[in-house]
């Protein structure tokens, strides 16, 4: 057997061994993950984040169509950079966190659109209102772990975030950009 053929067989066997060891991502590492948002207030760009969130997932990048994922954000963990704003945004006019402490996303379908690129479709529930949502997601392998990144623009009016005098968009814009970066691992 010539050297080239031996090398190809060895590489093929190695690739098959790696594929056999592939384990779906089963959990996120919160300390290495983030959920952030940005919006405009009186025409000025503002940023914030959520400090507490959790996910349940089973995601194999090679078998995206079999994935299962749900994600919960603790709305009381909001960090706008201002204690006064943090206190305001959890009130009944905004998140109504006393009655609806969590936002939840449940994936219905994940499909691969290009290498390491996916389209995620599911439902987002906030304040007891559920809407369909679709957004792009990117996967970056990091050894046995991975990083899932993406984002979407939501309309706060779709979830009655900002009621009464805040229902208009002259002070706080309707469009809220949400971004996520989730460090994933096969273990729980």
């Amino acid at each position: 057997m010539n050297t080239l053929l031996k090398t190809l067989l060895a590489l093929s066997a190695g690739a098959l061994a790696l594929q056999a060891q592939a384990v779906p991502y089963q959990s996120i590492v919160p300390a290495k993950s983030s959920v952030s948002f940005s919006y405009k207030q009186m025409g000025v760009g503002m940023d914030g984040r959520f400090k507490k969130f959790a996910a349940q997932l089973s995601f194999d990048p090679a078998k995206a169509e079999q994935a299962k994922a749900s994600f919960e954000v603790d709305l009381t963990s909001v960090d706008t950079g201002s204690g006064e704003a943090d206190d305001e945004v959890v009130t009944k006019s905004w998140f109504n966190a006393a009655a609806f402490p969590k936002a939840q996303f449940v994936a219905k379908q994940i499909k691969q659109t290009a290498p390491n690129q996916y389209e995620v479709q599911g439902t987002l529930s906030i304040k007891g209102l559920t809407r369909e949502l679709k957004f792009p997601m990117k996967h970056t392998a990091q050894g046995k772990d991975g990083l899932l990144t993406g984002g979407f623009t939501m309309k706060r009016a779709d979830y009655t975030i900002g009621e009464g005098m805040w229902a208009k968009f002259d002070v706080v814009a309707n469009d809220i950009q949400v971004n996520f970066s989730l460090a994933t691992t096969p273990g729980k």
Side-chain angles (χ1 to χ4, degrees):
M1 203 183 284
N2 69 30
T3 306
L4 177 59
L5 186 55
K6 286 181 185 177
T7 303
L8 288 173
L9 286 173
L11 288 173
S12 296
L16 287 173
L18 284 175
Q19 286 178 349
Q21 293 174 358
V23 177
Y25 301 125
Q26 297 291 325
S27 61
I28 65 168
V29 182
K32 295 181 180 179
S33 302
S34 65
V35 177
S36 61
F37 58 91
S38 57
Y39 60 98
K40 291 201 175 191
Q41 183 171 320
M42 296 176 61
V44 177
M46 308 293 281
D47 297 306
R49 68 185 181 104
F50 291 97
K51 296 183 274 186
K52 294 180 184 175
F53 45 86
Q56 292 184 338
L57 75 145
S58 178
F59 177 71
D60 181 342
K63 300 175 185 171
E65 68 284 351
Q66 296 175 11
K68 293 183 178 167
S70 64
F71 194 81
E72 265 189 359
V73 174
D74 180 345
L75 296 175
T76 64
S77 75
V78 67
D79 179 3
T80 63
S82 161
E84 186 178 322
D86 294 349
D87 291 343
E88 175 65 28
V89 80
V90 296
T91 66
K92 188 175 181 184
S93 294
W94 292 94
F95 287 145
N96 194 6
F100 304 100
K102 310 261 188 220
Q104 183 180 46
F105 175 78
V106 177
K108 290 184 174 180
Q109 179 183 40
I110 300 176
K111 65 181 180 180
Q112 189 166 10
T113 56
N116 300 314
Q117 302 286 326
Y118 302 87
E119 180 182 82
V120 180
Q121 188 173 357
T123 56
L124 178 63
S125 300
I126 303 173
K127 288 182 75 174
L129 299 169
T130 301
R131 305 284 185 256
E132 295 288 325
L133 186 64
K134 185 175 10 177
F135 56 88
M137 180 178 75
K138 180 179 179 184
H139 166 254
T140 305
Q142 299 180 329
K144 68 177 179 49
D145 297 331
L147 184 66
L148 302 174
T149 55
F152 55 88
T153 300
M154 61 173 271
K155 306 279 187 194
R156 67 181 180 90
D158 288 348
Y159 301 93
T160 63
I161 300 171
E163 298 180 51
M165 66 184 251
W166 299 109
K168 294 182 183 177
F169 309 123
D170 53 345
V171 177
V172 179
N174 191 29
D175 288 353
I176 308 293
Q177 177 63 39
V178 178
N179 294 308
F180 62 88
S181 176
L182 305 176
T184 58
T185 183
K188 285 197 171 208

